[in-house]
Amino acid sequence: YPFQVSAALKSSTTKPSTNAPLKCSLCTETHWKYNMPKHLQDRHPSWKVSVPLPDRDILASAISISQEEEARMKITHSQQ
């Protein structure tokens, strides 16, 4: 059965998490969306300057987690 990644990447009140496998556009590896920032930091540390626009914005958007998603998952950020 094919995995429906596009459906998994949409947050809702009944399914708040958008964590789904994403293929790195800079290499051949696939990582969970929530782990992709760590992968980029470790394997492609200069991606924010080396990836040209609009590809950089597309990648940043693909791995971002909205405030609505965080709220639905009851994630809070402490003020330190």
Side-chain angles (χ1 to χ4, degrees), residues 2-43:
F3 184 72
Q4 298 294 324
V5 173
S6 60
L9 291 172
K10 295 179 183 150
S11 179
S12 68
T13 55
T14 57
K15 191 199 70 56
S17 173
T18 61
N19 200 21
L22 294 178
K23 185 176 183 324
C24 179
S25 59
L26 305 175
C27 67
T28 60
E29 296 181 22
T30 299
H31 295 274
W32 289 97
K33 174 184 174 178
Y34 294 172
N35 296 339
M36 190 60 78
K38 178 71 170 147
H39 166 72
L40 292 171
Q41 175 186 338
D42 292 348
R43 297 291 303 269

Side-chain angles (χ1 to χ4, degrees), residues 23-79:
K23 185 176 183 324
C24 179
S25 59
L26 305 175
C27 67
T28 60
E29 296 181 22
T30 299
H31 295 274
W32 289 97
K33 174 184 174 178
Y34 294 172
N35 296 339
M36 190 60 78
K38 178 71 170 147
H39 166 72
L40 292 171
Q41 175 186 338
D42 292 348
R43 297 291 303 269
H44 314 288
S46 63
W47 77 272
K48 289 183 180 179
V49 294
S50 64
V51 175
L53 291 173
D55 295 335
R56 181 175 54 224
D57 289 341
I58 292 168
L59 179 55
S61 178
I63 65 172
S64 70
I65 302 169
S66 71
Q67 291 180 351
E68 292 83 9
E69 180 179 349
E70 289 184 350
R72 288 179 182 138
M73 293 192 309
K74 298 178 177 32
I75 294 174
T76 59
H77 298 277
S78 61
Q79 301 274 337

